Amino acid sequence: MITEMKQHLTEKILPFWEKLTDWNLGGWYGYVDKDLNVHIDAHKGCILNSRVLWTFATAARVLGEERYLEYARHALRFMERFEDHDRGGVFWSVNASGFPLDKTKHTYCQAFAIYGLAAYMRAAGKEDRLYSVARERAFRLFRVIENQCSDEGGYGEAFEPDFTPVDNKKLSDNPKLMERGEVAERTMNTLLHVLEAYAEFYRAVPDEEIRQAGVKCLELFLHVMYNQPERRLEVFYDRNYRSLLDMQSYGHDIEASWLMWDAVEALIPEEERAPYRDMCITLAQATCERAFTDHGMENEIVEGEVEHTRVWWVQAETILGFKEAHKLTGDPAWMDRAARQWAYVKDVISDPRPGSEWYWSTDENGVPTDKPIVEEWKCPYHNGRMCLRMIENA
């Protein structure tokens, strides 16, 4: 399986994204439609470009391939176009030429920018000419999250350029919430990726302030977001952490089951890890019991109704969640499940057309949806990370 994943990464995923590099205007082309037409005039999102930076930097580090670092450098240089040099932070998107477009400052974007910058530092090393640039930017954004996006309860999410809070519609887009006119002020998804960014940043720069900030995120998960009786994480909250929807996001729970443990290993002393270990195992077990089938992982369940779409990132995270569950429990059944899921991904989710990557999604019978192949959320992060982490931890 690992040999296949390495081949899949180096011969399908990474070459696809190499071809989407905009060497003229910077960054990566932001939209490829379902028919594989590249829209060179599409806007460029901070999330996509941050994740591309992380992917190529980590590929350079894990695979030992210097050429991938050149793509990471290209991404690093373009990330400056998202920065607000006057008030701090990064914007949600820029236009194709690199000028600010959507000036929303979302905590989610700040976190992913840190994540990519930290990966660059880990890959390039202190002797690299851009190491100090990445380090300084990462610390600036860390201060933005901790000083501008945080409050007494945790983290706010969506802000105007001057950090005045605004409605969090970008991360509160569940149809049931929208029907009710409700907007989540806090989300599990944003906190998960702040935690992820801080763990990566701490591995790059072992600073105690970064560690403490990451520990704060982990404690929120353990004591607030983890619904132990229901064996799931709650997803959408008001400001006071009242859950707004009877929902389990199978994709986020299986992703969190390994991602939180990865952060625990970086940030928490070994003697304090037991409750986190129990939470991570429980999330993997519950998700597997409720949503894993012989044709992939279900998407989510909302108020008792299962949403069956097979989403690309959910399928990728399932493999990593099962791999980590095997590590935590020693039960070989988890690796059998991971192998079955990998076979499903190859057969159904990976787009067989020459020059393509993965479908955004299929229905439960494996028929591709009309979603684009690339847009601001569809990037090489989930599937690339799956391959890279499996290779690194083989």
Side-chain angles (χ1 to χ4, degrees):
M1 183 165 60
I2 302 304
T3 300
E4 287 183 351
M5 285 186 176
K6 184 174 183 179
Q7 182 178 7
H8 186 81
L9 176 70
T10 57
E11 296 181 10
K12 189 174 184 71
I13 296 174
L14 293 178
F16 174 83
W17 289 94
E18 288 172 13
K19 288 187 297 183
L20 290 181
T21 311
D22 186 346
W23 295 111
N24 181 32
L25 297 175
W28 268 257
Y29 297 122
Y31 195 90
V32 177
D33 65 30
K34 65 183 179 63
D35 297 318
L36 302 181
N37 299 304
V38 180
H39 294 226
I40 64 172
D41 58 346
H43 75 271
K44 296 170 178 175
C46 182
I47 295 167
L48 185 149
N49 282 270
S50 297
R51 290 173 169 183
V52 168
L53 170 58
W54 184 91
T55 300
F56 278 108
T58 305
R61 180 176 62 80
V62 172
L63 302 177
E65 293 280 351
E66 174 69 23
R67 71 184 190 87
Y68 294 132
L69 206 55
E70 284 306 310
Y71 289 95
R73 290 189 181 106
H74 180 76
L76 175 64
R77 294 186 186 100
F78 190 70
M79 286 301 297
E80 184 179 9
R81 305 306 293 269
F82 295 95
E83 285 195 66
D84 183 339
H85 294 287
D86 295 325
R87 291 169 291 194
V90 290
F91 297 126
W92 185 269
S93 66
V94 297
N95 66 17
S97 299
F99 294 99
L101 184 62
D102 185 336
K103 295 185 179 182
T104 303
K105 289 179 181 171
H106 204 288
T107 305
Y108 195 98
C109 288
Q110 317 307 311
F112 266 103
I114 292 173
Y115 189 58
L117 293 165
Y120 185 86
M121 286 185 276
R122 293 185 70 193
K126 294 181 180 179
E127 302 305 315
D128 184 83
R129 63 184 184 275
L130 294 178
Y131 176 90
S132 61
V133 173
R135 189 180 190 279
E136 289 168 9
R137 287 183 188 171
F139 267 108
R140 285 202 301 269
L141 294 174
F142 175 73
R143 302 288 179 217
V144 163
I145 294 178
E146 291 302 307
N147 297 334
Q148 302 286 354
C149 304
S150 64
D151 56 41
E152 68 281 359
Y155 298 101
E157 301 210 3
F159 302 91
E160 296 280 10
D162 65 356
F163 294 100
T164 301
V166 294
D167 278 355
N168 188 28
K169 293 178 181 177
K170 295 180 185 297
L171 270 288
S172 183
D173 58 350
N174 185 276
K176 290 286 186 182
L177 285 184
M178 291 190 288
E179 283 175 17
R180 299 171 187 170
E182 291 187 286
V183 177
E185 293 189 57
R186 305 187 196 273
T187 67
M188 173 261 287
N189 191 15
T190 292
L191 184 66
L192 183 65
H193 295 297
V194 172
L195 171 63
E196 174 185 44
Y198 285 0
E200 187 84 354
F201 194 15
Y202 183 72
R203 286 190 169 104
V205 183
D207 179 279
E208 181 61 15
E209 188 178 3
I210 299 169
R211 192 188 75 82
Q212 289 291 343
V215 169
K216 180 177 69 174
C217 295
L218 280 167
E219 289 174 345
L220 274 172
F221 272 106
L222 184 64
H223 300 299
V224 178
M225 294 194 165
Y226 179 41
N227 184 334
Q228 188 170 7
E230 295 293 334
R231 302 165 71 212
R232 72 187 190 195
L233 298 172
E234 297 300 311
V235 182
F236 299 111
Y237 300 86
D238 66 13
R239 182 178 177 82
N240 297 315
Y241 290 104
R242 179 180 65 89
S243 179
L244 299 178
L245 199 58
D246 176 16
M247 173 181 180
Q248 183 175 9
S249 172
Y250 298 128
H252 285 108
D253 277 8
I254 197 64
E255 179 184 21
S257 73
W258 76 262
L259 200 156
M260 285 194 293
W261 185 252
D262 180 69
V264 166
E265 289 188 315
L267 305 172
I268 301 291
E270 191 167 354
E271 65 273 13
E272 299 174 14
R273 294 176 182 175
Y276 295 102
R277 179 181 183 276
D278 293 343
M279 175 175 59
C280 291
I281 292 172
T282 299
L283 288 173
Q285 289 173 334
T287 305
C288 182
E289 292 166 12
R290 296 166 181 170
F292 183 55
T293 76
D294 61 0
H295 50 288
M297 182 69 80
E298 305 273 24
N299 185 29
E300 62 191 25
I301 182 170
V302 180
E303 297 183 346
E305 184 177 344
V306 177
E307 206 289 302
H308 297 289
T309 305
R310 299 314 197 250
V311 179
W312 105 97
W313 69 265
V314 175
Q315 310 314 312
E317 296 303 333
T318 297
I319 294 171
L320 288 179
F322 289 173
K323 171 70 164 61
E324 203 72 7
H326 172 258
K327 172 181 158 182
L328 289 173
T329 65
D331 183 351
W334 287 110
M335 287 308 296
D336 293 340
R337 295 177 187 121
R340 284 164 49 201
Q341 178 69 0
W342 170 236
Y344 171 76
V345 164
K346 288 187 299 177
D347 291 344
V348 178
I349 304 300
S350 177
D351 186 349
R353 293 177 294 177
S356 189
E357 193 222 38
W358 288 21
Y359 297 119
W360 203 104
S361 57
T362 71
D363 67 17
E364 59 186 311
N365 298 313
V367 178
T369 65
D370 287 335
K371 289 276 196 175
I373 301 299
V374 171
E375 44 88 30
E376 63 184 1
W377 291 96
K378 176 66 162 57
C379 51
Y381 158 72
H382 290 283
N383 51 8
R385 182 176 64 176
M386 177 202 74
C387 294
L388 287 163
R389 186 169 175 86
M390 293 291 284
I391 293 165
E392 186 175 17
N393 295 317

